[in-house]
Amino acid sequence: METAGGYNVEGSPSPPAVPSTMSIDRLLPALLECFGIILCGYIAGRTNIITSTQAKGLGNFVSKFALPALLFKNMVLLDFGNVIWPFLWGILIAKVSVFCIVCFLTLIVSSPDSRYSKAGIFSIFATQSNDFALGYPIVQALYQSTYPEYLQYIYLVAPVSLMLLNPIGFALCEIQKWKNQGNHQQRKLLIVGHVVLQVLKNPIVFMVIVGIIAHFALHQRIPAFMAEFIDGLGNSFGGAALFYLGLTMVGQMRKLTRSTVVTLILLITAKLLVMPLICKDMVDVLDNSSNTTNHSSLSDYAFLYGVFPTAPSVAIYAVYYNAELEVVTSGMVISTFLSAPIMYVSAWLLTIHLMDPQCLMDSLESVSFNMSIVSLVALLWTVAVMFLSKKFKRLPHMFTVNLFLAQLFSCIGMILWNFVVKEDNFVAQVLIFTLLSTSLYSSFMWPGLIALSMVLMKKYEDLRGAPGALVITGWGIPALLTSILLIFGEKRSDAIDSSFFYGKLQIICTTVVVSFSILLGGFSLVCLSRGSWEQDEEYEDRESSFEPYQDQVTEVEPETQTLIEPENGTGGECFRCACAPATPMPDMIISTNDSLSSLPVHCENGCESTDCLLAQMEELQQVKDRQVVRHVLLCLLLTVFLLANFSSGLWLLYNHLHGRLYLELQFFCAIANYGQGFISFALFGLDKNIILLPLKRLYSRWFGKKKKEEPDLDLPDDIRMTCLQFTKYHKQQCFHDIVKKRRCGVRTMLDCFRGCELVDWLQQVGLAQDRGEAVLYGTRLQQGGVLRHIKQEYSFEDSQLHYYFTAPN
């Protein structure tokens, strides 16, 4: 392992630092150049200076002319004699490993109707880097003056994905198309031939092959009559590719939905966290060079290569196979902008000539202390909201509160540790360490236990003694491990970091707890995902069999107030309404023409009833899915943090001297361990009923009358024109087609419609080409005041939420 600026577990200095192998002074200008050109492309696309059709032309030029010419030139001039082959083998093994992991997990958790296409596209996403447009300028800025031969590795590594891994992904996508077509008479040999033909037709792959042949035929020399032509095309690649990357980012984040967030987190984690670590570890293992400096620089280079973001060409593959376009395009944008700070911080750490271990440990303690203070406030707020909403009595909120308490105690422990660690008071140090260690280990345990509890709740209605057993496990195992450390551990007199207070034994305990939680949480989330799509299929079958009855249900009897059942004692949330598939009872429904004359219709401006039946049904329909999504996101994000802690533990166990990249991982672990309050606050600290809705009502009370008196004249032109067009030409017909009278209170009726009904209608009449455009159209109508939610609590969605048309002014 590298010794430049490193330190060991005990905090003693490492051998003298070696000279820097990077030129950090050129990195920031290179990043500004790259992302500045990307920003220009984004602005050009956003302002329609260059339309999407014109952008496709630029993309074709970049991918079919400029890049193939650049690859041909570098393949011919490549000097294979200076290539360090263990580096290339290490990158190859790392890419294959990540490809197989992503492919295997996707095949396990995905539904059968899209399993193979998702596996193919996601695996390509996690392994194909933007080597030439963004990676090459960064490598050139860092290594041009120190290791110029590193630049040619870009041209050797890129074909690994293009010629080896991508064809496997394409084959999986072709298999999915073959399965969906239903015509299985086509031979599998033809599918393989089609995939091979598609790969060979790729101009990039074709020119790499031609370039390698020309390398030996032309003896590493391009003829004079071709040189200027090849240089002209190749030199046009850099700026054009970055500009096109900016163009492709326009409008991609709009496609991001709640259902794609979980997938995005996993893919970006695989691309920006798992890939760099595996690349570095593989090069460390395979490169047995006696030159310590060169060995160190190669492993660092491998880490930086792994951080390169996903290439835009993956989005082209997703469009071609019509597979997960929303995930791929949004992930491409997010990974591109996340990679910039990671690359800069990594390169900056690698260029530091000498680092004082004591100064570094003080900085680490300072970061942990500051994060703990801010996170403590967020956690206190979140715990208070959970208790005020009384959700701590229900599952899995009960376990989530235990997690929040563990995070809260760990922040308190870190704050107190900062004051007692430098004092010569062994008893105080042991007491504070007991609090800190137990609570921190408990916060490591609870993500896996929460995921397990959701699986048990989905499978068994009555958990009986399971909640108590999980609570005992969540606090008992951490207390047991802390006791083992206190009894058998040997305190290090020179350790100021709580992670090293009991040396190697503490590192082993931390690694065991983290690995157990990762395995438990990962297995539970896989089971939860598989159960979700199986349940969705059953629900779709049940819904399709009940469609004839749903068309007859237009309103609810007054007695049906009691059909919306309160939450049961076990914490489950269930409801029954007149149109529930399980209870299509005739006495629960009445037709539109029955007894309407006796019911006054007062809800012209939305539902005025304090106990709106429709709103209660909407809330009960959404609350279960929303809470499941929140808990899944919480477990997933914390599992990503646990992966960082697991990597840190392995790094400490198997390497006595730790390089500067380890510092980046250690600081990330400190932020992850003591900054979990931000995640908890973002997901559970803004309760809708306690925080958001009262603020919204207060805002409406203060500013609502003023808006009614003074119409909003600042609406954008597209919203104003959409509302004017719809009101003048389409509103009356839409009202006739989809609006129905529905009971919203005890004695009130409301002319309303569902969001999904308006989406269907907009597509039928040609005002929208697809459901995404229809949602945008409905959003403009809501922003322009043409339609509103019945309680004005939700924006327009393609769902079962109810909306009504406002009366003209």
Side-chain angles (χ1 to χ4, degrees):
M1 200 67 180
E2 69 177 292
T3 59
Y7 62 93
N8 53 24
V9 175
E10 293 79 7
S12 58
S14 65
V18 297
S20 175
T21 59
M22 287 185 179
S23 178
I24 190 66
D25 296 335
R26 298 186 57 191
L27 177 59
L28 185 58
L31 286 173
L32 292 177
E33 174 191 357
C34 293
F35 284 90
I37 298 175
I38 292 173
L39 181 61
C40 290
Y42 179 82
I43 294 174
R46 174 62 64 188
T47 57
N48 285 325
I49 296 176
I50 297 179
T51 64
S52 58
T53 304
Q54 294 168 339
K56 292 179 181 178
L58 179 60
N60 289 332
F61 167 76
V62 169
S63 60
K64 296 182 179 180
F65 292 94
L67 181 54
L70 185 65
L71 283 171
F72 174 81
K73 172 186 173 182
N74 284 274
M75 286 295 105
V76 174
L77 301 179
L78 190 64
D79 185 7
F80 288 99
N82 292 331
V83 175
I84 301 177
W85 293 104
F87 173 83
L88 295 180
W89 285 113
I91 300 297
L92 172 63
I93 294 174
K95 285 199 170 192
V96 172
S97 300
V98 173
F99 188 96
C100 293
I101 292 172
V102 173
C103 183
F104 177 73
L105 292 178
T106 306
L107 289 175
I108 290 179
V109 303
S110 298
S111 58
D113 58 342
S114 61
R115 175 179 296 164
Y116 293 99
S117 60
K118 285 183 178 180
I121 291 297
F122 291 165
S123 301
I124 294 174
F125 179 94
T127 53
Q128 184 169 345
S129 302
N130 194 354
D131 298 326
F132 303 108
L134 192 58
Y136 188 85
I138 303 300
V139 174
Q140 186 177 33
L142 290 173
Y143 292 104
Q144 180 68 55
S145 59
T146 53
Y147 289 95
E149 65 272 14
Y150 284 4
L151 299 179
Q152 65 181 351
Y153 290 163
I154 293 289
Y155 299 99
L156 290 174
V157 171
V160 171
S161 294
L162 297 173
M163 304 175 66
L164 178 63
L165 299 179
N166 284 13
I168 300 176
F170 297 153
L172 292 171
C173 293
E174 291 290 341
I175 291 173
Q176 190 66 62
K177 286 178 60 178
W178 175 66
K179 284 181 171 292
N180 293 341
Q181 288 173 355
N183 183 12
H184 295 170
Q185 296 179 355
Q186 186 180 11
R187 295 181 179 179
K188 296 180 180 180
L189 185 61
L190 293 178
I191 297 178
V192 175
H194 180 72
V195 172
V196 173
L197 182 62
Q198 288 291 106
V199 174
L200 293 178
K201 285 171 60 179
N202 189 325
I204 298 174
V205 175
F206 180 76
M207 291 308 295
V208 166
I209 298 174
V210 173
I212 293 176
I213 296 173
H215 171 86
F216 297 100
L218 301 177
H219 305 288
Q220 293 184 252
R221 190 175 298 176
I222 299 178
F225 70 92
M226 294 178 56
E228 295 297 330
F229 170 71
I230 297 296
D231 287 341
L233 281 177
N235 294 338
S236 65
F237 171 77
L242 292 171
F243 194 85
Y244 174 68
L245 178 58
L247 289 172
T248 59
M249 291 183 176
V250 176
Q252 301 302 340
M253 295 305 295
R254 294 180 183 174
K255 301 175 182 178
L256 185 61
T257 61
R258 285 186 298 179
S259 61
T260 60
V261 170
V262 174
T263 305
L264 266 182
I265 293 174
L266 290 173
L267 288 177
I268 293 175
T269 300
K271 185 69 187 73
L272 299 182
L273 180 62
V274 178
M275 173 72 83
L277 293 174
I278 295 181
C279 286
K280 180 176 174 61
D281 290 341
M282 288 297 102
V283 173
D284 282 332
V285 170
L286 296 177
D287 185 21
N288 298 319
S289 174
S290 59
N291 188 334
T292 305
T293 303
N294 194 35
H295 172 83
S296 171
S297 64
L298 274 177
S299 62
D300 296 339
Y301 179 33
F303 181 89
L304 290 174
Y305 176 83
V307 180
F308 291 164
T310 302
S313 56
V314 182
I316 299 175
Y317 306 149
V319 172
Y320 180 79
Y321 289 105
N322 192 25
E324 300 300 317
L325 182 61
E326 296 83 2
V327 176
V328 170
T329 52
S330 303
M332 180 194 68
V333 176
I334 296 173
S335 66
T336 298
F337 286 99
L338 280 181
S339 65
I342 296 176
M343 284 189 290
Y344 184 78
V345 172
S346 303
W348 174 72
L349 287 172
L350 291 171
T351 54
I352 298 178
H353 290 262
L354 182 64
M355 296 183 293
D356 182 12
Q358 184 63 39
C359 179
L360 290 172
M361 298 306 293
D362 290 340
S363 299
L364 187 62
E365 289 291 322
S366 177
V367 169
S368 302
F369 177 76
N370 294 331
M371 289 297 301
S372 298
I373 292 178
V374 181
S375 184
L376 181 63
V377 177
L379 284 167
L380 287 173
W381 175 281
T382 306
V383 172
V385 168
M386 295 290 286
F387 275 88
L388 288 175
S389 62
K390 298 182 180 180
K391 290 181 178 179
F392 66 94
K393 298 179 180 180
R394 307 199 303 263
L395 301 178
H397 294 84
M398 178 192 299
F399 306 126
T400 309
V401 171
N402 279 272
L403 170 65
F404 295 161
L405 292 176
Q407 296 171 350
L408 185 67
F409 292 145
S410 65
C411 291
I412 295 174
M414 174 49 63
I415 294 172
L416 296 177
W417 179 265
N418 190 71
F419 293 105
V420 305
V421 66
K422 297 179 182 178
E423 299 178 1
D424 191 15
N425 189 339
F426 179 72
V427 176
Q429 289 181 357
V430 169
L431 291 177
I432 301 303
F433 176 82
T434 302
L435 172 65
L436 177 59
S437 176
T438 304
S439 57
L440 193 60
Y441 283 165
S442 181
S443 68
F444 291 162
M445 291 281 296
W446 276 113
L449 295 177
I450 292 174
L452 177 62
S453 69
M454 289 190 289
V455 174
L456 295 177
M457 289 175 60
K458 182 176 284 290
K459 188 172 183 179
Y460 306 105
E461 294 182 0
D462 186 10
L463 296 184
R464 296 185 180 180
L470 291 178
V471 171
I472 293 175
T473 303
W475 291 100
I477 293 180
L480 177 63
L481 291 175
T482 302
S483 302
I484 292 175
L485 290 176
L486 294 174
I487 296 173
F488 300 102
E490 181 181 354
K491 176 186 176 298
R492 309 199 72 88
S493 58
D494 56 350
I496 65 171
D497 187 357
S498 59
S499 302
F500 307 138
F501 197 66
Y502 281 98
K504 190 172 183 179
L505 179 61
Q506 184 179 353
I507 298 171
I508 294 175
C509 290
T510 303
T511 305
V512 170
V513 171
V514 168
S515 58
F516 171 77
S517 184
I518 291 174
L519 292 175
L520 179 61
F523 178 77
S524 299
L525 290 175
V526 167
C527 294
L528 197 65
S529 178
R530 289 182 63 86
S532 296
W533 59 256
E534 289 174 356
Q535 188 176 21
D536 290 342
E537 290 180 347
E538 294 177 1
Y539 179 77
E540 289 176 0
D541 294 339
R542 188 169 64 246
E543 285 291 309
S544 61
S545 64
F546 189 69
E547 284 179 358
Y549 297 97
Q550 288 183 334
D551 294 336
Q552 302 173 10
V553 180
T554 58
E555 58 182 56
V556 187
E557 284 278 16
E559 290 80 2
T560 55
Q561 296 179 83
T562 59
L563 296 178
I564 303 178
E565 299 178 352
E567 297 161 356
N568 53 31
T570 61
E573 295 145 334
C574 62
F575 70 95
R576 289 187 299 164
C577 62
C579 54
T583 57
M585 297 174 62
D587 58 340
M588 291 184 182
I589 58 177
I590 58 176
S591 64
T592 309
N593 299 322
D594 293 338
S595 305
L596 288 183
S597 58
S598 62
L599 297 173
V601 182
H602 294 305
C603 300
E604 295 179 357
N605 296 318
C607 183
E608 298 177 351
S609 173
T610 56
D611 299 320
C612 177
L613 299 180
L614 295 176
Q616 292 180 42
M617 290 165 59
E618 289 178 353
E619 181 65 23
L620 290 171
Q621 284 172 344
Q622 290 203 352
V623 69
K624 184 176 181 180
D625 292 335
R626 184 168 62 247
Q627 296 303 327
V628 169
V629 170
R630 287 181 182 180
H631 284 90
V632 169
L633 280 177
L634 178 67
C635 296
L636 197 58
L637 290 172
L638 296 184
T639 302
V640 172
F641 294 160
L642 292 178
L643 284 172
N645 281 280
F646 181 72
S647 301
S648 176
L650 292 182
W651 207 321
L652 285 170
L653 288 175
Y654 291 102
N655 298 280
H656 297 288
L657 297 175
H658 310 291
R660 288 159 293 186
L661 285 177
Y662 171 74
L663 294 176
E664 185 177 4
L665 182 61
Q666 197 69 5
F667 275 94
F668 177 78
C669 290
I671 295 173
N673 292 339
Y674 304 108
Q676 296 179 9
F678 296 106
I679 302 295
S680 303
F681 174 79
L683 294 176
F684 295 93
L686 299 175
D687 186 85
K688 184 172 76 74
N689 295 319
I690 295 180
I691 307 296
L692 298 181
L693 289 184
L695 291 176
K696 191 171 183 179
R697 294 191 186 103
L698 188 63
Y699 177 82
S700 300
R701 186 180 303 171
W702 284 357
F703 299 100
K705 294 182 180 179
K706 185 177 180 181
K707 284 189 174 182
K708 291 180 181 179
E709 296 173 359
E710 301 178 5
D712 190 359
L713 302 177
D714 297 330
L715 288 174
D717 292 338
D718 59 338
I719 294 178
R720 187 181 295 108
M721 292 301 296
T722 300
C723 295
L724 181 62
Q725 177 201 40
F726 181 82
T727 304
K728 187 174 182 179
Y729 299 106
H730 306 290
K731 182 177 179 180
Q732 184 176 0
Q733 184 63 40
C734 182
F735 189 95
H736 178 270
D737 291 342
I738 68 173
V739 173
K740 299 177 183 178
K741 289 185 180 295
R742 291 183 172 91
R743 179 72 57 76
C744 59
V746 179
R747 300 178 59 82
T748 53
M749 301 289 295
L750 178 64
D751 293 328
C752 61
F753 57 91
R754 293 185 177 93
C756 57
E757 293 173 341
L758 179 59
V759 169
D760 293 335
W761 187 87
L762 290 172
Q763 291 183 95
Q764 290 174 4
V765 300
L767 291 177
Q769 298 298 321
D770 53 36
R771 304 193 76 83
E773 286 189 13
V775 171
L776 292 177
Y777 195 101
T779 301
R780 294 193 192 102
L781 294 180
Q782 187 181 36
Q783 292 172 348
V786 177
L787 63 85
R788 292 177 184 171
H789 180 254
I790 55 174
K791 302 294 285 185
Q792 300 187 31
E793 295 177 357
Y794 294 98
S795 58
F796 183 76
E797 299 178 11
D798 181 11
S799 65
Q800 297 294 322
L801 295 177
H802 291 83
Y803 302 86
Y804 69 96
F805 287 122
T806 57
N809 295 329

